[in-house]
Amino acid sequence: MKKILKILGILIGLIALIIIGGASYISIKGIPSYEAQSPEITIEADSTMIAEGKRLASLVCHNCHMNQSGLLEGKLMEDLPPEFGKAYAPNITQHDKYGIGRYTDGELAYLLRTGIKRDGGYAPPWMVKFPHLSDYDLHSVIAYLRSEQPELKPSNKQHPDSEPSFLAKFLCYVAFKPLPYPDAPIIAPDPGDKVAYGKYLATAKLDCYGCHSPSFESQNIMEPEKTPGYFSGGNAMPNLSGEIIYTRNLTMDKATGMGDWTEEQFIKAMKYGQRDNAPSLRYPMPPYAVVTDEEASAIWAYLKTIPVIENDVDALYTN
Ligand code: HEC
Ligand code: HEC
């Protein structure tokens, strides 16, 4: 009996050592690094591409990387849930040392698709990735980042190092991984194919489904439509004062989703945050004023085709 207890004691001790060892490894090593295998590409930019890149960036990059001075100098991410620690969206102006002046077109494409930076560091999930964005749209963003726009003028603004929590580091070892770089060109669907185009906008380009599905942890980035509770809302998102706002159910459920909405009401809410007989939409719902009515209409057409899910988001506020 004594012998068994002794062996058991040694075993438990060993397991504890492995756990402590693993935990200290993760905690010292920090966010993991990978080998950057950036493609060799040179983007032939024209003014149409730069304008489209700027429009897309204003919808999906500026919120994090633009600070109060209106430059892409980066800032503290005030709405990062505190359990992940503290993170700064970096300076992405064209400064050689403090910005992204040294990135090549290929390195930017590789980072935006996979999450691996030019130095091999892995950008955690709070930096968005675009595995399904069309090559044209991706190249437009890169063309914009290289353009003469005033908000990109080299700035030597520096931020303190981000301080990811142990949980954030741990998740970057076990759950959050770089995404594969596509091995074939990606072409966006024709806008004439409204439903397919709407799906492209709502997933690959404007990433509506990430916020509008129940949680980021269960998001299926490579196959968005397989995300549990796809578009049924309920994702708990802190606003800038730390108060939790739940995303809404955008499926066509009559009682808890948009089943009773008209297309006009949807477009008004999406573009300007305005709803009939209800308060305006709050942060972090971005205003999509620069999205065209055709694009908004395509997203609406797509939402009408996805599985209807009953999910009463209002009930979450009272629970
Ligand atoms: C939700 C916030 C958020 C959004 C949206 C976002 N980023 Fe970032 N970005 C970050 C954070 C945080 C990092 C730093 C990641 C890390 O720890 O390495 C980052 C890193 C980067 C880097 C690497 C900089 C370097 O020094 O290596 C580039 C380039 C970049 N982002 C460009 C973009 C572009 C272009 C977009 C839009 C298409 C975008 N980001 C959207 C938060 C964001
Ligand atoms: C950063 C997260 C985020 C993204 C990205 C996002 N939303 Fe939202 N959305 C929200 C939040 C949070 C609310 C709820 C705001 C509130 O209750 O005041 C909301 C509310 C809405 C509503 C109101 C629905 C209702 O029942 O009142 C519509 C419509 C909507 N979003 C459409 C979209 C579309 C379309 C996209 C993509 C183009 C999108 N959202 C992208 C966070 C987001």
Side-chain angles (χ1 to χ4, degrees):
M1 188 63 189
K2 258 199 181 149
K3 203 169 168 197
I4 294 180
L5 282 181
K6 202 169 160 193
I7 294 176
L8 207 66
I10 293 175
L11 266 180
I12 292 175
L14 271 178
I15 292 171
L17 262 181
I18 293 173
I19 294 176
I20 295 171
S24 357
Y25 175 82
I26 291 175
S27 141
I28 294 167
K29 189 110 194 296
I31 307 273
S33 287
Y34 297 87
E35 195 191 333
Q37 295 173 326
S38 312
E40 299 268 335
I41 49 175
T42 309
I43 292 164
E44 306 282 347
D46 58 42
S47 56
T48 318
M49 270 177 105
I50 293 173
E52 178 57 11
K54 179 165 176 149
R55 186 177 76 112
L56 185 53
S58 76
L59 292 170
V60 295
C61 320
H62 289 185
N63 182 29
C64 291
H65 286 284
M66 188 177 270
N67 65 11
Q68 277 172 332
S69 55
L71 305 174
L72 296 185
E73 289 180 326
K75 60 179 178 206
L76 175 70
M77 289 184 66
E78 283 175 271
D79 53 352
L80 184 71
E83 59 269 28
F84 293 129
K86 219 174 185 185
Y88 293 85
N91 175 345
I92 58 165
T93 67
Q94 290 155 355
H95 196 284
D96 261 356
K97 185 151 178 228
Y98 302 112
I100 56 168
R102 277 187 246 173
Y103 268 84
T104 63
D105 289 353
E107 285 168 345
L108 282 169
Y110 196 71
L111 164 70
L112 291 170
R113 291 247 190 251
T114 67
I116 301 175
K117 296 183 281 186
R118 72 189 286 273
D119 64 3
Y122 169 60
W126 29 101
M127 158 64 193
V128 288
K129 282 116 209 168
F130 298 92
H132 304 297
L133 191 64
S134 75
D135 288 354
Y136 180 83
D137 285 337
L138 183 80
H139 292 181
S140 302
V141 172
I142 297 170
Y144 160 69
L145 291 173
R146 298 237 175 277
S147 70
E148 304 274 301
Q149 304 293 309
E151 63 273 21
L152 290 157
K153 248 186 38 219
S155 150
N156 59 6
K157 176 95 184 164
Q158 275 178 284
H159 302 281
D161 288 340
S162 292
E163 295 164 26
S165 66
F166 177 73
L167 174 70
K169 295 178 198 166
F170 178 73
L171 288 174
C172 288
Y173 279 90
V174 298
F176 304 136
K177 297 276 161 143
L179 305 175
Y181 191 81
D183 47 21
I186 303 181
I187 298 164
D190 187 278
D193 186 350
K194 225 172 152 181
V195 171
Y197 189 58
K199 174 183 171 191
Y200 171 72
L201 295 172
T203 56
K205 190 163 176 176
L206 300 177
D207 198 10
C208 315
Y209 85 101
C211 286
H212 281 280
S213 298
S215 86
F216 290 118
E217 285 79 12
S218 59
Q219 188 183 351
N220 188 332
I221 298 180
M222 291 316 289
E223 293 175 278
E225 285 169 300
K226 293 197 178 154
T227 297
Y230 187 57
F231 269 113
S232 68
N235 201 343
M237 306 194 67
N239 68 10
L240 294 175
S241 17
E243 185 194 346
I244 295 295
I245 310 290
Y246 294 97
T247 61
R248 314 278 324 167
N249 182 351
L250 302 189
T251 74
M252 295 299 149
D253 185 53
K254 279 208 185 301
T256 66
M258 296 195 302
D260 278 335
W261 286 47
T262 64
E263 178 172 334
E264 287 67 37
Q265 286 172 323
F266 170 76
I267 295 180
K268 205 165 93 184
M270 173 186 166
K271 289 181 67 168
Y272 309 111
Q274 291 166 359
R275 290 179 291 188
D276 297 341
N277 311 318
S280 299
L281 294 174
R282 294 159 291 180
Y283 184 93
M285 170 64 192
Y288 288 100
V290 296
V291 161
T292 65
D293 284 0
E294 289 68 37
E295 289 171 319
S297 171
I299 295 178
W300 176 250
Y302 171 62
L303 290 173
K304 290 187 96 157
T305 67
I306 64 172
V308 173
I309 301 175
E310 186 184 340
N311 185 23
D312 185 2
V313 172
D314 287 320
L316 295 171
Y317 286 100
T318 48
N319 284 344

